[in-house]
Structures are given as structure tokens and as C-alpha cells.
Amino acid sequence: MNFALRMSELYAPTLKEEPAEAEVASHRLLLRAAMMRKAAAGIYTFLPLGHRAVRKVEQIVREEMDAIGSQEMLMPVVQPAELWQQSGRWDVYGPELARLKDRQGRDFCLGPTHEEIITATVRDELRSYRDLPLSLYQIHTKFRDEMRPRFGLLRGREFIMKDAYSFHASQESLQEHYDEMVDAYGRICDRLGLEWRPVAADSGQIGGSVTTEFMALAESGEAALVYCTCGWAANVEVAETLVARTPSITEPRPMEKVHTPELRTIAELAAAFRVSTHDTVKTMAGRAEDGRLVFFCIPGDRELNPFKASRAVPGMRLLEEEEFSVYGIPKGSLGPVDPPADTLVVGDRSLRDDIAWAVGANENDYHLFGAMPGRDFTVDLWDDIVVAQPNDGCPMCGGVLEGARGIEVSQVFQLGTKYSEKMEAAFADESGAERPFLMGCYGVGITRSLAAVIEQHHDEQGIIWPMSLAPAEVAVLPLSSGDDIVAPLAERIWSELARSGIEAVLDDRDERAGVKFADADLIGWPYQIVVGKKGVAEGLLEVKDRATGERTSVPVADVVARVTELVTSARARLGSAASTDLAPPA
Ligand code: ATP
Ligand code: MG
């Protein structure tokens, strides 16, 4: 792929002003550095430089998929509803699935993911254990009508994903390929220059039980993680935790009922009872699948984790505001003592040794103080149901958890037979018996990864591309374009760099030095070679390293060799895709 990297010809309208709608650095810089433009909320056009960076992410991912024997293919964006009806997801996917009708009135959707299509594609022809395992992937556009598209490429509605799907005859074979994918995903993150962590996670709409998310660490990330020095890490959505509790009341006391009309919050309740919020217990109400009421009791200073709560009571959902009156319970004053008949009481396991709970009395404006489990009420089930937080104990080793925020750049899943059973995709095993495939699926957010890289690599001036993704590796900046020594020298250095296999851009625009420097820093070329009159007269050119800001004077005669060496070693560190498919200008 040839790319004419003369700035005078390149379509890259950079912006001086901060785009008002951009809340995070990557969104701001992708717009300012002329990488992309918005078409509609969460839908973007990639301009030449941005497209080139996207292609580089894709190429890295492609190389790593090919290396583990997954085969590239391409599936349609528009998918027939029947397949989604067979898998059962047509009804459960909700408004994120964009549905449309063709001129005959038949139902279709825009693919948010491709489990249905891939399963339907192989099921009639992949029939024998001899043809397994099989792994296929594509790099393509996805559409999800996200409720809140935001942060530019981080949460778009139309975005590019690499999605792979694998088919297996046995769990061992699935596990083996899953492990290869996990390793490949780690290498992809490394090659993108990301600081990342693999974390335990929830499998969401995709399904299955074994899953890992790959998180790029960033303050702007939407995900909260907890991790331990022992290596354990999890998305707080699912993270198990050990809550450290030191209740201040250590002797049993009689239970008292107190009139508390003015107490609205846990903090007010704690103050009134002269205990810490930590000693109070809050109760949240849910509805089990069979309609039975469920009370979840947790420490007053913690949050209920709805994922873990519904794992403890499968099929449970928390009550909606208007349901409290249906059940005849006071939302602000719930507690485990004398709840409505048949209520299932679930206690957070950290409360197990607390002997004097401050709880609601299931009666408006009344609380109970000193309620003792086993004496005053019964807890039917103890489980871990609170949101994990930093300083909790690690469930693996007991160490102290730390917290971080992350951007989920990719996720892998073992699906088991979830889709193959529903969609009747089976193979004949060695004995000739029909068995459903075991499946895995594996997704990398190409455009989200690109944005995550910028979240981690930027400064006030602009993007600081890792060598593996920079739209070009070196920029040559002649400071007086009209000058009859400077201009030809810059041109010569640029073409020699290109000849030595470096992706080089020549800023041959008729612009002031300040404009060229500002654009070079904004776009983020990893190295800049400054060709000015003074330097030329002294026989020395300045080479600037964008990442460190360091400037080195290099003799004119050595500059091509020196910069080629710098680029080559940076490429080697990151296993850059630059020198392979995306060839420099001839
Ligand atoms: P999220 O929880 O952030 O909505 P997800 O778990 O639904 O994402 P997956 O179904 O696991 O996403 O999709 C695989 C990858 O596709 C994600 O890891 C992410 O990198 C990317 N991706 C998902 N949704 C979006 C989006 N709205 N915009 C950009 N990339 C996305
Ligand atoms: Mg995911």
C-alpha cells in the first residue's frame, strides 16, 4: 500500500481549537490531529492518517491470529432475523440490536457480533471430528445502538472489531485454543504499546462461563478493576472479595426498637446510634424468579453488587421503585427481622460474626438496634454480594487489593455448546454419534484499542504514537520551504529515508516553523528531523524524539543512518507491523 506522505498533498486538516464535545484525550486528539471526523453520534469517518493507524492495528491483530492458525474470512454486516430467532437472542438482545426490514418486509439486523452467522455458515458442511478443531476470524464493522455512545472511538455505535470463532470436539481442544488466544491477545496488547492486565469478567450478552477481559489501564476507563500483587485481577462487576470488618460492638445486647422519623441516610442512622456507618446494615430488596421476596443485607458503608447478588439467587432482579408498595414494604426501613412471610434473607458473608446489627424494622420511621442473627432473625444464605474495593482482602491469597480503572480492549469466551445446541450445529464423533460443537469466541476492539493507545500515550501537545502505530515513523521538517539549500536537502533526506524502508513524511507546506512544529507534535510522528538554515550552515541537523522531547544534533551526513537505526530498534521492541504490509512510499 503506497501512501504519498508529502504534507502539501496529504488531506489532514488539523484543528487548533479544542473540539467542545470531546470529554477524553483520545477523542479530542483524534479530531484535532485530523485522524477522524464525526458523521453522527458514535459514528465516524476515518481520514487518511487515522485510517492508516487503524490499518496498522488491524495488521498486528491479523499477524497474531494467523500465527495461531486462525483463518481470515469475511461475514456480512446485515444478518437475517431467523438465525437470531434460532439462537434465542432476537428477543433478548434489546434496543442495542439495530433491526431493519427489506423491501419484502423480512426482518434483518445489523451485526453487533457474529456467533449466529458463523454457526449457520459451518453447520451444514463441518460434519466430522476429523475436520476439527477449526478457527475462523474476520476484521469488520460492527453496529451496536449503544444507549450512550461517547468518548469518541471508546464507545461508538459503528466500530471495527476483530472477531474469531472456534469449533471443537472436546473441552481439552477448546481450552487449548482459548489459551493460545489469551497468549495472542497479550502479544497484541504488547505490540500496541499498551499497559494492560487480563482480568476475570462477566460474559454478558455473549454467554458462556469461562471468560477473560483485557484491560488497558487508564483513568478515563469505564471499567473498575481490583488486583493483587499475587497476580489475581478482576472486573469489579464480578470480583470476589474479602471485606475486612472490625465491628465496634463485641458483646450481645438486647434488641431495641427506636423511633427514627428524622433519619433518612445511613450516615444519620449511624450518628444517632453513635456507631460508625460500618456498623450499620443496609437491606436491599429483590424478586426471585418465582416471585418470592429476597432481602440482601450488606454493611452500611458498602454497595450491593447486582451481578453477584443474582449469582447467589439465580434469576433474581432488584425491585423497581413502584414494586415496594405492591409487596407492602417500606423502602427506607427494610431489615431481616420479621420480614414478610416467605422472604429469603441473604447476608453478606462479612456480616457473619457481627452480633449487633443496626437495621430497618420493616416499618416506616422505625429501626432496630442490637439485632442478633440466630437470636432475633435468621439469615437463609451467606454469600459474597458486595462490590469489591481497594483495601479489601484478595480472595486468592488474602493480600490487600488495589484498584485501577481500565478500558476493555478485548475479551475471550468459552461458549461451550450454547449456540451449537440451539442452532443444531453438530458433528459426528469417532463412534459416529452426533454431538454439538464446543465453541469459543474472541473479540478485539480495533478502533477502541486505537483510542486506548492514545489515552495512554499523549501529552498537552498531542499524540505520542508507539512506533507500531504511527501513521508515519519520521517527519522531515524543512523550515524555509523556498530556500534553495534547505528545500532540496530536506527532500533528499526524505527520499533516502524512504529508500531505507522508513515511513517518512515531508512537511513541504509553505507554513511558518511554528505551525510545522505544532502539527508534528499534534499528529505525533515519533521522530522529527528539523532542517533549518542555521543547522545546514553548521552541518548539523536536530533530531527530536517525540516521546521524550529529547533533541540531538546529528551531522547532516549521518542523519539518515542514525534515524533509520532509531526507528528500526523501536520497531523491533514493539514487533511493529510497519515494515511488512504497509510499505513506505517507493
Ligand atoms: P462493553 O462492556 O464495553 O460494552 P462488550 O463487553 O459488550 O463491551 P464485547 O461483546 O466483548 O464488548 O466485544 C468485543 C470487543 O469489542 C470489546 O472488548 C471492545 O473492545 C469492542 N467494543 C464493544 N463495544 C464497543 C463499542 N461500543 N465501541 C467500540 N468498541 C466496542
Ligand atoms: Mg466484552
Side-chain angles (χ1 to χ4, degrees):
M1 187 177 78
N2 228 328
F3 193 76
L5 288 173
R6 269 178 191 279
M7 288 290 275
S8 61
E9 292 166 5
L10 181 71
Y11 185 67
T14 54
L15 307 174
K16 285 197 191 61
E17 304 296 320
E18 293 291 340
E21 79 266 28
E23 295 170 70
V24 295
S26 62
H27 189 190
R28 210 160 52 229
L29 291 171
L30 283 161
L31 292 169
R32 281 197 58 210
M35 302 282 156
M36 68 176 196
R37 289 294 177 258
K38 176 173 152 183
I43 303 179
Y44 294 91
T45 295
F46 289 99
L47 300 181
L49 292 177
H51 179 232
R52 205 169 154 79
V54 169
R55 291 284 311 274
K56 291 200 175 190
V57 178
E58 291 178 357
Q59 186 56 22
I60 288 171
V61 172
R62 181 173 283 122
E63 288 173 8
E64 293 299 338
M65 289 299 101
D66 293 348
I68 58 168
S70 197
Q71 300 170 47
E72 188 165 8
M73 53 155 354
L74 192 62
M75 290 180 270
V77 171
V78 177
Q79 309 183 4
E82 294 87 82
L83 298 181
W84 287 73
Q85 282 151 356
Q86 281 172 23
S87 73
R89 284 206 290 186
W90 185 255
D91 294 324
V92 298
Y93 214 97
E96 242 180 60
L97 185 66
R99 297 156 210 251
L100 59 148
K101 288 190 189 292
D102 71 3
R103 62 170 75 201
Q104 268 94 33
R106 284 186 288 247
D107 286 314
F108 288 85
C109 64
L110 299 181
T113 172
H114 281 64
E115 286 79 12
E116 281 78 2
I117 284 273
I118 192 89
T119 308
T121 303
V122 303
R123 69 181 161 191
D124 295 329
E125 287 145 327
L126 187 65
R127 303 292 292 144
S128 163
Y129 73 94
R130 284 190 212 90
D131 303 325
L132 298 174
L134 176 68
S135 179
L136 300 167
Y137 78 95
Q138 66 171 348
I139 298 178
H140 205 198
T141 297
K142 294 278 181 283
F143 191 88
R144 294 183 184 180
D145 199 357
E146 297 271 355
M147 183 151 68
R148 288 188 66 198
R150 59 192 179 141
F151 302 153
L153 297 185
L154 288 176
R155 184 166 296 284
R157 291 196 294 167
E158 184 176 309
F159 56 94
I160 303 174
M161 196 201 288
K162 183 286 298 182
D163 44 329
Y165 305 88
S166 66
F167 299 86
H168 307 269
S170 68
Q171 176 59 33
E172 296 67 50
S173 166
L174 170 57
Q175 184 68 46
E176 194 181 318
H177 195 55
Y178 181 88
D179 292 341
E180 287 173 338
M181 280 284 177
V182 167
D183 291 346
Y185 276 35
R187 287 193 297 272
I188 289 168
C189 288
D190 285 341
R191 292 180 61 182
L192 296 177
L194 287 171
E195 192 191 341
W196 60 280
R197 273 176 193 283
V199 305
D202 180 69
S203 58
Q205 290 271 23
I206 308 281
S209 52
V210 177
T211 181
T212 304
E213 282 175 344
F214 294 77
M215 292 283 179
L217 302 184
E219 268 313 304
S220 54
E222 290 184 282
L225 330 173
V226 282
Y227 62 93
C228 177
T229 46
C230 76
W232 180 86
N235 190 317
V236 294
E237 284 182 350
V238 300
E240 257 186 73
T241 190
L242 297 174
V243 177
R245 281 186 68 73
T246 40
S248 45
I249 303 162
T250 51
E251 293 298 323
R253 54 176 65 193
M255 183 169 74
E256 276 177 78
K257 184 169 175 182
V258 187
H259 191 216
T260 51
E262 65 290 359
L263 304 183
R264 291 278 166 259
T265 65
I266 286 286
E268 287 166 356
L269 184 70
F273 287 135
R274 283 190 298 282
V275 293
S276 80
T277 52
H278 184 81
D279 288 312
T280 64
V281 173
K282 41 180 193 200
T283 301
M284 253 77 70
R287 180 189 186 282
E289 217 158 21
D290 58 3
R292 191 175 175 195
L293 203 54
V294 190
F295 278 5
F296 294 100
C297 301
I298 62 170
D301 57 354
R302 301 298 295 243
E303 293 303 317
L304 179 73
N305 181 325
F307 287 87
K308 291 202 281 184
S310 48
R311 197 163 290 178
V313 185
M316 183 287 307
R317 61 169 179 75
L318 293 175
L319 290 195
E320 305 286 343
E321 196 68 39
E322 60 280 4
E323 286 177 299
F324 285 85
S325 56
V326 177
Y327 281 97
I329 50 172
K331 186 172 183 216
S333 204
L334 299 179
V337 183
D338 293 330
D342 248 8
T343 301
L344 181 75
V345 176
V346 183
D348 185 64
R349 66 182 178 195
S350 68
L351 293 170
R352 223 175 175 146
D353 298 326
D354 285 24
I355 49 161
W357 297 20
V359 294
N362 296 319
E363 194 180 330
N364 269 321
D365 299 336
Y366 283 93
H367 279 84
L368 298 168
F369 189 46
M372 185 172 169
R375 182 190 70 186
D376 304 316
F377 63 94
T378 307
V379 174
D380 301 303
L381 177 67
W382 294 103
D383 208 335
D384 167 26
I385 52 175
V386 297
V387 176
Q389 64 186 40
N391 295 322
D392 281 355
C394 168
M396 200 59 95
C397 75
V400 179
L401 293 184
E402 295 191 56
R405 298 201 68 81
I407 299 166
E408 179 203 320
V409 288
S410 44
Q411 187 168 10
V412 292
F413 306 80
Q414 290 189 17
L415 299 170
T417 56
K418 172 175 166 163
Y419 293 88
S420 50
E421 271 180 18
K422 290 211 172 100
M423 298 186 69
E424 295 177 6
F427 66 98
D429 70 13
E430 278 153 302
S431 68
E434 289 270 298
R435 290 202 287 127
F437 296 111
L438 289 158
M439 291 173 58
C441 76
Y442 320 88
V444 176
I446 299 286
T447 43
R448 184 184 281 182
S449 293
L450 184 71
V453 168
I454 299 175
E455 290 297 322
Q456 289 188 358
H457 301 275
H458 70 273
D459 62 15
E460 283 299 302
Q461 277 63 50
I463 302 171
I464 303 174
W465 288 112
M467 194 58 76
S468 55
L469 299 187
E473 295 162 324
V474 178
V476 182
L477 310 181
L479 296 189
S480 356
S481 324
D483 188 274
D484 53 7
I485 301 179
V486 166
L489 176 63
E491 187 106 9
R492 203 188 77 214
I493 291 170
W494 173 65
S495 54
E496 277 178 23
L497 283 168
R499 263 201 302 281
S500 71
I502 303 297
E503 298 179 359
V505 59
L506 177 68
D507 194 349
D508 56 346
R509 295 175 303 169
D510 190 13
E511 289 284 3
R512 287 181 295 113
V515 171
K516 292 189 181 183
F517 288 140
D519 274 349
D521 281 353
L522 175 60
I523 294 169
W525 317 115
Y527 290 102
Q528 301 165 17
I529 302 173
V530 181
V531 188
K533 270 191 194 158
K534 183 158 165 278
V536 172
E538 292 166 357
L540 289 172
L541 301 182
E542 192 176 273
V543 175
K544 177 176 164 184
D545 179 333
R546 175 69 181 90
T548 61
E550 205 179 318
R551 295 160 198 273
T552 327
S553 288
V554 179
V556 174
D558 299 344
V559 80
V560 169
R562 176 73 66 83
V563 170
T564 301
E565 191 187 297
L566 288 169
V567 170
T568 315
S569 63
R571 274 185 196 162
R573 275 198 302 280
L574 283 166
S576 169
S579 52
T580 53
D581 191 43
L582 301 176

